[in-house]
Amino acid sequence: MAKKNPPLRIIPLGGLDGIGKNMTAIECGPDMVLIDAGLMFPDDSQPGIDLVLPDYTYVLENEDKLRGIVVTHGHEDHTGALPYLLQDLNNKVPIFSSKLTLGFIEGKLAEFRIKTPKFREVHDGSHVNLGNISIDFFSMTHSIPGALGVYIKSPQGTVMHTGDFKLDQTPIDGVTPNYAAITKFAKQGIDLLMSDSTNANRPGFTPSEAAVGPTLNEVIKNAKGRVFVASFSSHIHRLQQICDAAKKCGRKIVVTGRSMLTNTRVARELGYLNIDEKDILDAYELNGIPDDQIVVMCTGSQGEPLSALSRMANGEHKTLSIHSGDTVIISATPVPGNEKAVQQVINSLAKLGCTVVDKSTRLVHVSGHGSQEELKLMLAMAKPSYFMPVHGEAVHLRAHANLARQMGMRDDHIFVVDNGDTLEMRGGEVKIGPQVESGIVYVDGLRIGDTDPIVLRDRQKLANDGMVTVVAIVSMKRKRIDAIEFSSRGVSFTIDDEFSFDASASIMKAIDKGSFDYTSSGTGALRKAVRDSLSNFIWNRTRTRPMIIPVVMEV
């Protein structure tokens, strides 16, 4: 009977082509659930782009089926697309997640003035029915409290989605992975396992978050001046250890950076971050307090140009500055693509004469993702019939698939897929299904949509070689060009009298060779000829290719 009914469809819309923008639709007949709605930050090939989102057109086209959105934890790569998605949805659907995650989401939606979302708090052991899809939640450890995995039941079979995780035996908040739940679901039967692949090419085990605390304590204790600690603002476990170390060393805490201020406030209000009010100072209240009694928690661990750490390193922060004798701890790993930006900040700090401590010199950061041995343990506990690695770049997904092979899974039971590919499950059997529309959506200022690749190419060209504008004044009566004027921005050569004379001569020579219609309808051909001849002239003289903007003025 199950074979004739609609299949359970697993539809990854993001998260399988990089670290970020995680989004997966789970659909069975008339019902659909969305797991996560994250974003990704742009790379060097996307100049001017603010954020990168997964293309959620499929969700909007099928929103009558959407019964709820499940968010596994509160990081931006799992929550950041929510404001954009909710603005585009006509129907308000409930959002299911842990208390801290919902607190972070509420703050984010408030920035977008999205009111009265349907929040449904869930926790370890919670069970919800969404149409013919039922979901059980179980606790996992990650670099943020309130991380959850999900076990999904449908008429056609079962799926376990781990969310982001590592198997930390000594988590800061005492909440360990719910091994009993995982093994219970394994006994009930897990037809398909979807598991975090971020560290699939890293051997061994990921160290416990608790391993960072003693190092932070030692560095802060031995620092002569002020201590600045840059980390992800949502890494509440890390922030707790920083605060504990500061208190132990008799230092007060200062918080700076917009997201750091917001997230520490939310975490304190919800009871996830324990700091006495007397131990926190405002950045404006530091006058008269000795440098060796201050720890500053700030944003900027990824080298973001507008972050608190970058602005302090460049002397542009309103209230705080870093100088010789201070210590800066970068308590994070650069997200792929951010390495250059982080190194630039480190170099700026070094020029100021302060001491910079990062994970290359001391244990001031550990990953929130499980390494190979933990991923194998998850496979061993879950005992899935089929396996689909998720959350990672192509190299991570394939490394995770190889771990499954090492553990005896058959090749035809392992699915390494791309965004937009689908899996279909019928009676517990999984096969590749038809593709759906997928891709990426750019947030560019107030505009959200598919930024034309030509636009991005032009921006790169402008950044690399600059721009030259050439204005050709054309006499329609005499059927000739009377004058040519040049201006430029961002070019490496000077547009002086000599350049103007030689370039004009080159353009006139090209025009004289051609045959042009000196009417209003013929200016397009003139513009092309002017652009091409000037581009060739500049290339021959400078070996650069700036963008050429030709303007033909009729007189």
Side-chain angles (χ1 to χ4, degrees), residues 291-309:
D291 285 357
D292 62 0
Q293 293 179 18
I294 296 169
V295 169
V296 179
M297 295 196 306
C298 61
T299 54
S301 63
Q302 298 302 303
E304 309 95 313
L306 298 179
S307 66
L309 182 62

Side-chain angles (χ1 to χ4, degrees), residues 151 153 158 160 179-191 378-385:
Y151 178 62
K153 287 184 183 175
T158 61
M160 178 184 282
Y179 299 110
I182 296 169
T183 52
K184 179 185 78 172
F185 298 140
K187 286 178 183 174
Q188 294 175 12
I190 297 172
D191 294 316
M378 177 58 71
L379 283 160
M381 287 188 291
K383 298 182 174 66
S385 300

